[in-house]
Amino acid sequence: LGKLAIVFAALSGNGVDAFWRMNCGVIQTGRIDPIVTPGGISSHVHKIAGGYNIGLNSSYEDMTNSKCTSCEIGADKSAYWTPQLYYRHANGKFQDVPNSGMTVYYLGRGDNRDSIQPFPAGFRMLSGNALARSYDNTTMTYNNGRPVADRVSFNCLDSTTQYPETPNMIHTKCSNGLRAQIQFQSCWNGVDLYKTDNSHVAYMSTIDNGVCPPSHPVQLVHLFFEVLYGVAQIDTTDGGQFMFAYGDPTGFGFHGDFLNGWDPEVLAPALKQCANVDNAGQISACAPLAASDSSQYSYNCAERPSLINEPVVGMLDKLPGCINITPGPSDASVSDITCGPGTTSPSVNPFTLSTPSQAAVMPQVNARTNSWTYMGCANEPSGQRALAAFSYTNSGMTTAMCQTYCASKSQSLAGVEYGSECYCGNALSSGSSLGGANCTTLNSMVCAGNSTEFCGGPARLQVFSVTVPSTGPSVPAVGAVAGDFVYAGCANENSTTPNRALSGASYSNNTVTNDQCGAYCSALNFQYFGTEYGTECYCGNSLKGGSTLSQTGCSMACSGSLSSNSPFAQYNNTCGGSNRLSVWKNSKYQTTAVVPSVGSYVSQGCYYEASANGGSGRALTGASFSSSSMTVEGCVSFCAGKNMGLAAVEYSTECYCGTVLQTGSSPATDGLCNMACGGNKQEYCGGPNRLNVYKSS
């Protein structure tokens, strides 16, 4: 069994590391096997990867006409499959073990590797024996080179124990998964595309290398599958047992199938140029393959709904089919894995073969559809969105849906990203540009709601443009009047300071308008209000942190809708931008001041809440109350009546009493005790986490 370390074993001669490695997602799970049971339902469940058109009776033509493949090389529409692994719980229930696909190796092996021939159209084969339940050391490869049973191996990938590879499923406590591995025949008789006893192909003398028997002189590329099962994701504390879909708890019967669907114009040069060249398995290093190497293969060709109408995943009462569990060591019989006469078979769900014309297409730059023009591919900049005005996500996203949404927001640019995301704006943010990313059919993701078109990719947008009819000036002029407010200009947020430009009260929601924000700040008696990023409202009596007016970029639409009679409607309801505020001044603002004293209570200045400055809880822990008509006088009277020597007002409407300031409360010198009292706009009543404190003399 020492020969089981087979794929990367040290071999003599040229091409020791000549191979390519292809990752594949799952395209179908179910009782499908067009090789062993063509036109019928298979005896057991398989996990299938590859061409979209795999079905009960798939032909070479069916496969090559698939609209997509779940494997990363688009020119390969072949199908690859292995049995599903299950866990039988102690209560008799069966649970499928997670598996997300397989890795397929194409290796240049054999003494005649320089003459490797491509798979012919219609070629198919399988490797392994589903009935095996013990190690067969008598059936040998050509020239008695090696037991044929060595074609199957298992590798328990565990973070604490390094297990040797074994020909059976003996180790299953594998924190990083159990990897099942199978090697295929690499010698062909040159005549038959398939024979039911699989005699049209033969193994090389040492399976993964060596010579072909004279009866099978045509050298094929050596296929090797790795299938990783997430055994650690199954709760095995009940003492159950792992077993394959055909009732095999040993693993000796593991097997794999291959149905050719290669584009011959790609496979032939790939074998010639790459099968005997050391490129560390990288598809990108093999030009014929790299031309169709997709990074989004598993998303763009996702698993199809089950073709066979029966449950095969989740918690099952039995293994699908008519399966007897056979633990060995004697081999299972055909009757152990097949249904007898009179057994009712599950129905087959309808399936229409796809065609290449249904594959997603990347639009040409400047192409125009439904008044929208494709502008190209843009990158997402660091720290912000390329299109930052509006966005939403939809599991049925299409480019048309995104365009309609952005048009409804009066935005001229629509960008689709990551298959299901839509972003809108009137200009790309700083750091993003058309051409800043490259959207191709190989790195883009199909739209979640339309697999015939692309919707960007990770951190890249496909951007469309339309002319939005103007309903008025996009930004008001300085001095423009809207009711009681006068437009002061566009101000910047200074990222180098901790303070907001307007550092009084604030809020954010998806209904912000200038009407709403103005009313909010006026009620708190702030002189200025500013709207930012379409969804944010800020109040203050002066600009802080080095912020200045006369900036540009305040052209983002407000998230909320204005009534037609709003005084702000004439200015198109713009609400700042990214790090930009549309600032308005309240012409009826009344100056607010700190009340110096009330009776024997004298102002002590502005203090932090204990919890806001390293402590915990409130600064004053005695009696308290809140009122929308709060005044300093009312709070002092309340605390005096409680015989407490300290009174404090906070956040415009709150009153707190006590006898001593708690640990953590200290003088606040940042000027943020700037909120007018709810009941008297000419008095300050603290601020956010800040109190105007009064002490009895």
Side-chain angles (χ1 to χ4, degrees):
L1 300 183
K3 294 181 180 180
L4 286 174
I6 45 186
V7 175
F8 301 109
L11 301 175
S12 61
N14 180 44
V16 58
D17 291 317
F19 67 98
W20 68 75
R21 178 178 53 242
M22 177 175 67
N23 295 312
C24 297
V26 176
I27 193 65
Q28 178 72 264
T29 302
R31 287 201 287 149
I32 300 171
D33 191 334
I35 294 180
V36 176
T37 54
I41 297 176
S42 172
S43 65
H44 55 277
V45 176
H46 293 107
K47 280 277 192 180
I48 309 174
Y52 183 86
N53 283 351
I54 185 66
L56 297 181
N57 199 23
S58 302
S59 66
Y60 173 76
E61 291 72 22
D62 292 338
M63 299 309 299
T64 55
N65 280 324
S66 296
K67 68 176 183 178
C68 64
T69 173
S70 67
C71 295
E72 62 179 300
I73 301 175
D76 178 20
K77 304 293 178 55
S78 303
Y80 308 85
W81 63 92
T82 55
Q84 172 66 49
L85 183 65
Y86 289 92
Y87 181 77
R88 185 189 190 190
H89 287 276
N91 63 4
K93 299 283 188 179
F94 293 85
Q95 183 180 2
D96 65 299
V97 179
N99 163 258
S100 58
M102 67 171 68
T103 301
V104 180
Y105 291 77
Y106 278 72
L107 300 111
R109 296 290 175 85
D111 289 3
N112 197 25
R113 64 171 65 91
D114 291 333
S115 299
I116 291 176
Q117 297 299 304
F119 299 118
F123 181 84
R124 55 189 66 194
M125 64 177 170
L126 61 90
S127 181
N129 177 10
L131 302 179
R133 295 295 182 270
S134 60
Y135 185 75
D136 177 6
N137 61 3
T138 60
T139 304
M140 307 295 289
T141 61
Y142 172 66
N143 231 9
N144 286 320
R146 186 176 185 183
V148 169
D150 285 350
R151 60 195 169 189
V152 173
S153 58
F154 291 87
N155 193 343
C156 179
L157 306 177
D158 189 72
S159 58
T160 59
T161 304
Q162 186 174 354
Y163 293 105
E165 290 189 0
T166 59
N168 58 339
M169 193 168 52
I170 190 172
H171 304 295
T172 56
K173 292 184 177 180
C174 319
S175 60
N176 296 320
L178 174 66
R179 192 171 69 202
Q181 306 167 158
I182 187 160
Q183 304 196 61
F184 280 76
Q185 304 89 328
S186 306
C187 308
W188 178 42
N189 66 11
V191 177
D192 301 294
L193 298 176
Y194 176 66
K195 297 187 75 172
T196 55
D197 62 358
N198 226 36
S199 61
H200 63 304
V201 288
Y203 296 97
M204 291 184 288
S205 56
T206 59
I207 299 180
D208 66 320
N209 213 347
V211 298
C212 287
S215 57
H216 295 74
V218 179
Q219 182 75 55
L220 301 174
V221 69
H222 185 67
L223 283 184
F224 176 74
F225 294 177
E226 288 181 342
V227 186
L228 188 65
Y229 297 102
V231 292
Q233 299 178 51
I234 301 296
D235 182 0
T236 60
T237 55
D238 62 359
Q241 187 177 33
F242 290 99
M243 62 184 61
F244 283 103
Y246 50 94
D248 176 15
T250 71
F252 285 116
F254 187 72
H255 53 281
D257 297 66
F258 168 71
L259 174 60
N260 181 32
W262 272 97
D263 179 347
E265 300 300 319
V266 174
L267 180 58
L271 292 173
K272 184 175 181 179
Q273 298 175 34
C274 311
N276 289 300
V277 177
D278 180 2
N279 56 25
Q282 299 178 77
I283 293 173
S284 60
C286 182
L289 303 178
S292 65
D293 184 16
S294 169
S295 61
Q296 303 299 330
Y297 57 94
S298 60
Y299 179 90
N300 289 345
C301 205
E303 183 172 359
R304 281 172 35 196
S306 182
L307 186 58
I308 309 301
N309 190 22
E310 64 180 350
V312 294
V313 297
M315 201 68 72
L316 309 177
D317 292 330
K318 69 181 190 70
L319 291 174
C322 304
I323 305 297
N324 293 324
I325 298 171
T326 48
S330 298
D331 286 355
S333 65
V334 173
S335 62
D336 287 321
I337 62 171
T338 55
C339 295
T343 303
T344 301
S345 298
S347 61
V348 178
N349 294 317
F351 173 65
T352 302
L353 293 174
S354 65
T355 64
S357 64
Q358 295 172 311
V361 176
M362 183 65 64
Q364 295 293 316
V365 174
N366 295 323
R368 188 177 176 88
T369 304
N370 297 328
S371 76
W372 287 83
T373 301
Y374 180 56
M375 304 303 294
C377 187
N379 61 299
E380 286 285 13
S382 177
Q384 59 182 329
R385 286 290 182 184
L387 294 174
F390 299 95
S391 65
Y392 84 111
T393 300
N394 192 297
S395 59
M397 183 63 68
T398 66
T399 57
M401 283 177 61
C402 182
Q403 292 162 357
T404 300
Y405 172 76
C406 293
S408 73
K409 299 295 183 180
S410 299
Q411 302 298 297
S412 61
L413 296 179
V416 282
E417 181 174 353
Y418 215 76
S420 59
E421 301 171 5
C422 172
Y423 298 90
C424 314
N426 286 319
L428 292 172
S429 301
S430 175
S432 178
S433 63
L434 292 171
N438 185 27
C439 295
T440 72
T441 58
L442 300 181
N443 65 15
S444 299
M445 303 169 74
V446 297
C447 297
N450 184 357
S451 63
T452 67
E453 61 180 4
F454 288 106
C455 277
R460 63 179 73 92
L461 302 94
Q462 286 174 242
V463 181
F464 299 83
S465 173
V466 72
T467 300
V468 178
S470 177
T471 57
S474 59
V475 178
V478 173
V481 177
D484 293 336
F485 299 95
V486 178
Y487 186 63
C490 181
N492 63 304
E493 293 283 14
N494 192 336
S495 60
T496 63
T497 67
N499 291 331
R500 284 283 183 181
L502 292 175
S503 53
S506 65
Y507 73 93
S508 176
N509 63 37
N510 290 323
T511 64
V512 166
T513 64
N514 286 305
D515 266 345
Q516 186 188 91
C517 183
Y520 171 76
C521 294
S522 294
L524 298 175
N525 202 41
F526 284 104
Q527 186 173 11
Y528 296 96
F529 80 85
T531 48
E532 182 173 350
Y533 212 73
T535 59
E536 301 168 7
C537 171
Y538 296 93
C539 312
N541 288 320
S542 63
L543 292 175
K544 305 286 186 180
S547 176
T548 61
L549 295 166
S550 302
Q551 304 290 328
T552 60
C554 286
S555 58
M556 188 175 291
C558 302
S559 56
S561 299
L562 287 173
S563 63
S564 59
N565 60 356
S566 166
F568 292 95
Q570 60 186 308
Y571 305 118
N572 210 26
N573 199 27
T574 52
C575 283
S578 178
N579 290 315
R580 294 289 189 273
L581 296 97
S582 296
V583 180
W584 295 80
K585 182 179 180 179
N586 185 353
S587 62
K588 294 188 176 181
Y589 168 73
Q590 295 179 330
T591 302
T592 306
V594 175
V595 176
S597 63
V598 177
S600 64
Y601 285 77
V602 179
S603 172
Q604 304 297 301
C606 181
Y607 277 75
Y608 288 109
E609 277 287 14
S611 59
N613 198 33
S616 60
R618 291 286 182 184
L620 295 176
T621 57
S624 65
F625 80 102
S626 63
S627 169
S628 60
S629 59
M630 182 64 67
T631 63
V632 174
E633 293 81 0
C635 181
V636 166
S637 175
F638 173 76
C639 293
K642 300 293 184 181
N643 293 318
M644 294 191 176
L646 292 176
V649 280
E650 180 176 357
Y651 210 75
S652 184
T653 59
E654 301 170 6
C655 173
Y656 297 93
C657 312
T659 57
V660 62
L661 289 169
Q662 300 300 307
T663 300
S665 181
S666 60
T669 59
D670 54 7
L672 296 185
C673 275
N674 58 2
M675 296 181 70
C677 295
N680 187 340
K681 301 305 181 186
Q682 294 180 304
E683 299 179 354
Y684 279 126
C685 275
N689 286 314
R690 289 162 180 80
L691 307 94
N692 285 113
V693 178
Y694 293 82
K695 182 178 180 180
S696 173
S697 58

Short mmCIF file of all heavy atoms in Angstrom, two decimals, residues 378-381 384-388 417 423-425 427-430 432-433 461 463:
data_model
loop_
_atom_site.label_atom_id
_atom_site.label_comp_id
_atom_site.label_asym_id
_atom_site.label_seq_id
_atom_site.Cartn_x
_atom_site.Cartn_y
_atom_site.Cartn_z
N ALA A 378 -15.96 50.02 -14.12
CA ALA A 378 -15.34 50.93 -13.15
C ALA A 378 -14.94 50.16 -11.90
O ALA A 378 -15.60 49.21 -11.51
CB ALA A 378 -16.29 52.06 -12.80
N ASN A 379 -13.88 50.60 -11.27
CA ASN A 379 -13.41 49.99 -10.03
C ASN A 379 -14.09 50.64 -8.83
O ASN A 379 -14.55 51.78 -8.89
CB ASN A 379 -11.90 50.18 -9.89
CG ASN A 379 -11.51 51.65 -9.84
OD1 ASN A 379 -11.76 52.38 -10.78
ND2 ASN A 379 -10.88 52.08 -8.76
N GLU A 380 -14.18 49.89 -7.74
CA GLU A 380 -14.61 50.47 -6.47
C GLU A 380 -13.40 51.12 -5.81
O GLU A 380 -12.36 50.48 -5.65
CB GLU A 380 -15.18 49.39 -5.54
CG GLU A 380 -16.55 48.88 -5.92
CD GLU A 380 -17.66 49.86 -5.61
OE1 GLU A 380 -17.38 51.04 -5.32
OE2 GLU A 380 -18.84 49.45 -5.66
N PRO A 381 -13.48 52.40 -5.43
CA PRO A 381 -12.33 53.05 -4.80
C PRO A 381 -12.20 52.64 -3.34
O PRO A 381 -13.14 52.08 -2.75
CB PRO A 381 -12.68 54.54 -4.91
CG PRO A 381 -14.18 54.56 -4.88
CD PRO A 381 -14.63 53.30 -5.59
N GLN A 384 -14.85 54.04 -0.07
CA GLN A 384 -16.16 54.55 -0.45
C GLN A 384 -16.65 53.82 -1.69
O GLN A 384 -15.92 53.02 -2.28
CB GLN A 384 -16.10 56.06 -0.72
CG GLN A 384 -15.13 56.46 -1.83
CD GLN A 384 -15.07 57.96 -2.02
OE1 GLN A 384 -16.05 58.66 -1.80
NE2 GLN A 384 -13.92 58.48 -2.42
N ARG A 385 -17.91 54.09 -2.06
CA ARG A 385 -18.49 53.46 -3.24
C ARG A 385 -18.24 54.32 -4.48
O ARG A 385 -18.20 55.56 -4.40
CB ARG A 385 -19.99 53.27 -3.05
CG ARG A 385 -20.35 52.15 -2.08
CD ARG A 385 -20.02 50.81 -2.67
NE ARG A 385 -20.40 49.71 -1.78
CZ ARG A 385 -20.15 48.43 -2.05
NH1 ARG A 385 -19.54 48.10 -3.17
NH2 ARG A 385 -20.52 47.49 -1.22
N ALA A 386 -18.10 53.65 -5.61
CA ALA A 386 -17.93 54.37 -6.87
C ALA A 386 -19.17 55.19 -7.19
O ALA A 386 -19.08 56.34 -7.63
CB ALA A 386 -17.64 53.38 -8.00
N LEU A 387 -20.34 54.61 -6.99
CA LEU A 387 -21.62 55.31 -7.15
C LEU A 387 -22.30 55.30 -5.79
O LEU A 387 -22.74 54.25 -5.31
CB LEU A 387 -22.48 54.63 -8.22
CG LEU A 387 -21.92 54.69 -9.65
CD1 LEU A 387 -22.78 53.85 -10.59
CD2 LEU A 387 -21.86 56.13 -10.15
N ALA A 388 -22.37 56.46 -5.16
CA ALA A 388 -22.69 56.49 -3.74
C ALA A 388 -24.04 57.10 -3.39
O ALA A 388 -24.38 57.23 -2.22
CB ALA A 388 -21.59 57.26 -2.99
N GLU A 417 -23.19 45.24 -9.87
CA GLU A 417 -21.99 44.67 -9.26
C GLU A 417 -22.33 43.37 -8.55
O GLU A 417 -23.41 43.22 -7.98
CB GLU A 417 -21.38 45.67 -8.27
CG GLU A 417 -20.11 45.21 -7.57
CD GLU A 417 -19.47 46.31 -6.72
OE1 GLU A 417 -19.94 47.45 -6.77
OE2 GLU A 417 -18.51 46.00 -6.00
N TYR A 423 -26.09 50.18 -7.91
CA TYR A 423 -25.64 51.44 -7.34
C TYR A 423 -25.95 52.58 -8.32
O TYR A 423 -25.87 52.40 -9.53
CB TYR A 423 -24.13 51.40 -7.05
CG TYR A 423 -23.78 50.35 -6.03
CD1 TYR A 423 -23.45 49.05 -6.41
CD2 TYR A 423 -23.81 50.64 -4.67
CE1 TYR A 423 -23.15 48.07 -5.47
CE2 TYR A 423 -23.51 49.67 -3.72
CZ TYR A 423 -23.19 48.39 -4.13
OH TYR A 423 -22.90 47.42 -3.19
N CYS A 424 -26.28 53.75 -7.76
CA CYS A 424 -26.67 54.90 -8.58
C CYS A 424 -25.88 56.13 -8.18
O CYS A 424 -25.44 56.27 -7.04
CB CYS A 424 -28.16 55.20 -8.40
SG CYS A 424 -29.27 53.79 -8.47
N GLY A 425 -25.74 57.04 -9.12
CA GLY A 425 -25.10 58.32 -8.86
C GLY A 425 -25.11 59.16 -10.12
O GLY A 425 -25.51 58.69 -11.19
N ALA A 427 -22.15 60.89 -10.79
CA ALA A 427 -20.74 60.90 -11.16
C ALA A 427 -20.02 59.85 -10.35
O ALA A 427 -20.46 59.48 -9.25
CB ALA A 427 -20.13 62.28 -10.90
N LEU A 428 -18.92 59.33 -10.88
CA LEU A 428 -18.10 58.38 -10.15
C LEU A 428 -17.34 59.09 -9.04
O LEU A 428 -16.86 60.22 -9.23
CB LEU A 428 -17.12 57.68 -11.09
CG LEU A 428 -17.72 56.73 -12.12
CD1 LEU A 428 -16.65 56.27 -13.11
CD2 LEU A 428 -18.35 55.51 -11.44
N SER A 429 -17.22 58.47 -7.89
CA SER A 429 -16.49 59.05 -6.77
C SER A 429 -15.00 59.12 -7.07
O SER A 429 -14.49 58.42 -7.95
CB SER A 429 -16.73 58.23 -5.50
OG SER A 429 -18.09 58.17 -5.17
N SER A 430 -14.32 59.95 -6.30
CA SER A 430 -12.87 60.08 -6.45
C SER A 430 -12.20 58.73 -6.24
O SER A 430 -12.53 57.99 -5.30
CB SER A 430 -12.34 61.09 -5.43
OG SER A 430 -10.93 61.15 -5.47
N SER A 432 -12.36 56.29 -8.45
CA SER A 432 -12.98 55.35 -9.37
C SER A 432 -12.98 55.95 -10.77
O SER A 432 -13.15 57.15 -10.94
CB SER A 432 -14.42 55.05 -8.95
OG SER A 432 -15.04 54.16 -9.87
N SER A 433 -12.80 55.10 -11.75
CA SER A 433 -12.80 55.60 -13.14
C SER A 433 -13.22 54.48 -14.08
O SER A 433 -13.05 53.30 -13.78
CB SER A 433 -11.41 56.12 -13.53
OG SER A 433 -10.47 55.06 -13.50
N LEU A 461 -17.81 47.40 -11.27
CA LEU A 461 -19.16 47.67 -11.73
C LEU A 461 -19.20 47.81 -13.23
O LEU A 461 -18.30 48.38 -13.84
CB LEU A 461 -19.69 49.00 -11.15
CG LEU A 461 -19.77 49.24 -9.67
CD1 LEU A 461 -18.51 49.94 -9.21
CD2 LEU A 461 -20.98 50.13 -9.37
N VAL A 463 -21.08 49.97 -15.76
CA VAL A 463 -21.72 51.27 -15.59
C VAL A 463 -22.50 51.64 -16.85
O VAL A 463 -21.98 51.55 -17.98
CB VAL A 463 -20.69 52.36 -15.28
CG1 VAL A 463 -21.36 53.71 -15.09
CG2 VAL A 463 -19.90 51.98 -14.01
#
